[in-house]
Amino acid sequence: MRHIFHQIPWIYPKDIVELRELYQRYGTQEHYKKGTIIKSRGESQRLFYLVNGLCMYYANYVENNPMSFSLVLPERTMGDITCITKQYFNVTTIVIRDADILVVPPDILLDAMRQDAELAIKICRHVVAKQESSLEAVITNTSCEPAQRLKILLKSMLLDGGIEPKAGWYTVPLTLTHEEYGQIINVTRVTISRILALWQREGLICRENKTIIVHHQLFDDVYDWLSYFSEK
């Protein structure tokens, strides 16, 4: 599931402890409804920290044909790369589940980096990790067929959530709509429905209400260079 780097695709690692404490100290918590655009492409520096809820990053956002390249889960920062580089990016950040978000003055991040070289190194490493995750997502979306992309996305969710199997079955910790799955792996919701229906007929997944439960055999053909390398 990882082709080049160490990070899993689509899901950024949680922020380092020092940053979480910094944002909690200086941030102002605001509530955002589903569908709110909190940062649009080309917008000036704004720094956010997701307390709860769910957001998505979209590339070259077009309302009728959105393409996401990352889920933003709680305990993640949004806008840090813009703040550090002072450059604008063609990224739109949208709330897809009602969310509580800390709005943080952008200078807080740069001041902390100037004052603590070791912290600055940790932040740089964390930013690199986030970009690796985005690149892995792009590689997966351009080199794998749709069913394989969906398998990799599900496995990424399980790895991030630290989900352990019960009698060979994994409960996917995030509930997404078929449309949202499609936006992430760049297919239609109809394609998602067909893939999931096929897997259900094959006994590889089942459902409890909206929750997807996955049998471990679904991932038998999911290549991960880190796992492959460790076996050598």
Side-chain angles (χ1 to χ4, degrees):
M1 60 180 302
R2 284 164 285 208
H3 292 77
I4 296 176
F5 301 109
H6 285 239
Q7 301 304 314
I8 58 177
W10 295 295
I11 301 177
Y12 290 165
K14 291 182 180 179
D15 267 309
I16 59 177
V17 173
E18 293 91 337
L19 283 182
R20 294 204 299 269
E21 293 175 347
L22 188 72
Y23 299 147
Q24 289 164 359
R25 188 181 315 135
Y26 292 104
T28 301
Q29 185 164 305
E30 297 184 10
H31 185 74
Y32 292 84
K33 291 290 188 181
K34 175 182 176 180
T36 303
I37 297 177
I38 63 171
K39 196 165 187 285
S40 187
R41 55 189 181 183
E43 191 174 342
S44 60
Q45 289 88 15
R46 298 178 69 195
L47 191 62
F48 303 93
Y49 177 80
L50 184 60
V51 177
N52 56 58
L54 197 63
C55 296
M56 273 193 191
Y57 283 147
Y58 293 89
N60 191 27
Y61 181 72
V62 178
E63 188 171 355
N64 293 327
N65 188 28
M67 183 182 69
S68 170
F69 65 90
S70 180
L71 285 166
V72 184
L73 277 61
E75 300 185 50
R76 274 79 169 177
T77 305
M78 298 172 282
D80 51 342
I81 297 175
T82 305
C83 290
I84 292 170
T85 63
K86 299 292 185 180
Q87 294 179 336
Y88 302 146
F89 300 99
N90 190 15
V91 175
T92 300
T93 309
I94 299 180
V95 177
I96 65 168
R97 297 285 187 277
D98 286 9
D100 291 313
I101 298 174
L102 294 175
V103 182
V104 185
D107 290 341
I108 292 296
L109 179 61
L110 289 176
D111 289 345
M113 295 177 70
R114 293 187 187 103
Q115 294 168 16
D116 188 336
E118 289 300 319
L119 176 60
I121 291 171
K122 287 183 180 180
I123 292 171
C124 288
R125 288 173 176 164
H126 183 69
V127 167
V128 169
K130 292 170 71 171
Q131 293 307 288
E132 287 184 0
S133 176
S134 293
L135 286 168
E136 284 290 345
V138 171
I139 292 166
T140 302
N141 272 351
T142 55
S143 66
C144 298
E145 50 90 20
Q148 195 73 0
R149 293 179 220 165
L150 186 55
K151 289 181 187 181
I152 292 171
L153 176 56
L154 292 172
K155 189 167 184 180
S156 292
M157 293 177 177
L158 294 172
L159 285 174
D160 179 77
I163 306 301
E164 296 292 334
K166 294 182 179 180
W169 291 87
Y170 295 88
T171 300
V172 178
L174 293 176
T175 301
L176 300 176
T177 66
H178 290 191
E179 185 175 9
E180 289 164 347
Y181 276 120
Q183 289 172 9
I184 297 167
I185 68 170
N186 200 23
V187 298
T188 67
R189 61 179 178 81
V190 174
T191 298
I192 297 294
S193 297
R194 288 173 179 166
I195 294 171
L196 292 177
L198 174 62
W199 290 347
Q200 194 159 3
R201 290 195 300 271
E202 294 175 340
L204 294 172
I205 69 167
C206 60
R207 293 176 181 270
E208 289 185 0
N209 297 320
K210 294 182 179 180
T211 300
I212 295 176
I213 303 173
V214 182
H215 194 268
H216 71 89
Q217 290 180 333
L218 181 70
F219 304 120
D220 283 351
D221 65 344
V222 174
Y223 171 82
D224 185 331
W225 81 267
L226 284 178
S227 299
Y228 180 81
F229 182 77
S230 66
E231 293 169 358
K232 295 299 179 181

